[in-house]
Amino acid sequence: MQRYFVSVNDVQMNTVTIQGDDRHHMANVMRFQPGDQVVICQPDETSHIGVIDQIHPEEIKITLLEELDEQKELPITVTVAQGMPKGDKLELIAQKGTELGMHSLLPVQMDRSIVKWDGKKEAKKRARLEKIVKEASEQSHRTIIPHILPMTSLKELDLHQYDYCLVANEIEAKQTDHSSTFREVLGKINKNDQILIVIGPEGGFSEKELAFLDHEHVYSIRLGKRILRTETAPLYVLAALSFYFEEWS
C-alpha cells in the first residue's frame, strides 16, 4: 500500500490534507480515486490507514481509519557522519542508508574532501537529499524520514552526545592481528543507544584527524579485511547493525 508522510499542519482531527508534489503523485502518477486506501505517516511516528474522500485540483482529502501497529525502525538511533564524497555518492548513501534504517545523515567536511559547499550550494544539496530520503522512506515503508543535518567539520562534531562513536578505519583492515573487532563493539551496544558512524572521504582520514578521533576515545573498527569505498562503508555498518539488532538478537 502506497505510503505518504505528512506534517502536523496537514492533519486536523482525523482528516488529512495532501497538497503539492504528493497531491500530484497521488492524482496523476498513482491515479488514485475516492475510496482508495493509502498509509499516512505522521511526525509522531504513528501510521494509519487512510481512505481518500475527495480529489480537488489543489488538494486531496483523506480520512484516517485505524492506526497500524508497525515496528519498522532500528532499535538504536544511528547517525552517519559522512566525509564529503565526490559526485552523487552522498545521494546514494542517503537513499540506501534510509532503506537500511539510518536515522540521520551528517555531511562532514574533512581534510581530504575534494568537494566544497558554500551556503547557497549547501541549501540546494540539502533540499535534494531531503527529497531523496523522503522517497526512500516511502518505498522502504519507514515510519520516519531520516534527518539531513547541516554540514559541519570533524572538529565541530559533538561526539559526547552519542553513546558510541564508531570510526571505520582502513588501517585496521590491513592489520592481520587486529583484536578490537566490530563484533566485540556490537556486543556492548544496547537498544535505544545513540550511535555515530564516522566515515572518511575517498582519500580516507588524515593523520591529524585520526589523532583527534583517537584522543576522543572512539571505537576504531574494521569492516572486514578489504578496503571499502567511502559510499560502501556506511552501508556495511548499517547492514551489520540491522542484522545484529533486528534479526540475530
Side-chain angles (χ1 to χ4, degrees):
M1 191 176 296
Q2 188 67 35
R3 179 170 300 243
Y4 295 93
F5 289 85
V6 297
S7 68
V8 174
N9 295 332
D10 296 328
V11 183
Q12 299 219 352
M13 301 297 288
N14 67 333
T15 300
V16 176
T17 301
I18 303 292
Q19 299 176 318
D21 290 343
D22 283 342
R23 186 263 165 214
H24 170 79
H25 185 267
M26 296 178 73
N28 302 322
V29 178
M30 300 302 296
R31 299 187 180 278
F32 284 132
Q33 298 296 322
D36 288 339
Q37 293 187 348
V38 295
V39 175
I40 298 296
C41 299
Q42 301 188 56
D44 61 0
E45 300 186 25
T46 61
S47 53
H48 292 74
I49 296 292
V51 60
I52 298 174
D53 287 331
Q54 304 168 34
I55 300 178
H56 302 295
E58 298 298 326
E59 63 185 28
I60 292 176
K61 295 291 186 180
I62 296 174
T63 297
L64 297 180
L65 303 178
E66 72 268 21
E67 182 176 343
L68 296 174
D69 181 16
E70 297 187 306
Q71 301 294 328
K72 300 294 181 69
E73 301 304 320
L74 282 174
I76 54 176
T77 302
V78 183
T79 297
V80 175
Q82 175 66 47
M84 291 291 290
K86 296 183 293 184
D88 59 359
K89 293 177 182 177
L90 196 60
E91 295 184 3
L92 174 67
I93 293 167
Q95 182 189 62
K96 301 307 179 185
T98 297
E99 294 177 29
L100 290 167
M102 174 184 72
H103 184 271
S104 302
L105 176 60
L106 176 59
V108 182
Q109 197 73 52
M110 295 187 183
D111 292 343
R112 294 177 179 170
S113 294
I114 297 174
V115 174
K116 308 290 182 183
W117 285 357
D118 57 23
K120 185 176 181 181
K121 189 172 185 179
E122 180 182 357
K124 184 177 179 180
K125 290 289 187 180
R126 282 187 67 189
R128 170 66 179 158
L129 292 171
E130 287 169 351
K131 183 174 187 293
I132 288 171
V133 297
K134 177 180 180 294
E135 292 174 351
S137 296
E138 293 169 347
Q139 178 274 323
S140 59
H141 288 198
R142 295 280 301 267
T143 54
I144 65 167
I145 301 174
H147 303 287
I148 304 298
L149 302 174
M151 185 184 65
T152 187
S153 67
L154 188 61
K155 288 191 174 180
E156 291 175 325
L157 276 177
D158 181 10
L159 302 179
H160 302 290
Q161 67 176 297
Y162 302 95
D163 297 297
Y164 291 91
C165 177
L166 312 181
V167 178
N169 189 347
E170 65 178 22
I171 296 175
E172 304 291 349
K174 299 175 182 177
Q175 295 180 358
T176 57
D177 61 344
H178 182 83
S179 60
S180 179
T181 65
F182 187 19
R183 183 181 64 180
E184 291 173 340
V185 178
L186 286 176
K188 299 178 181 180
I189 298 174
N190 297 309
K191 291 185 177 180
N192 300 317
D193 279 349
Q194 301 274 336
I195 312 300
L196 179 70
I197 306 168
V198 184
I199 308 293
E202 286 88 353
F205 297 102
S206 67
E207 292 183 4
K208 183 172 63 176
E209 289 170 335
L210 288 175
F212 165 75
L213 290 168
D214 184 62
H215 182 266
E216 295 294 323
H217 304 295
V218 302
Y219 287 90
S220 185
I221 61 172
R222 181 176 74 184
L223 307 181
K225 298 180 179 180
R226 295 156 297 282
I227 305 301
L228 303 182
R229 290 179 178 271
T230 185
E231 68 271 28
T232 308
L235 306 183
Y236 179 110
V237 179
L238 285 165
L241 291 170
S242 172
F243 173 74
Y244 185 84
F245 287 98
E246 294 183 307
E247 301 299 331
W248 191 14
S249 297

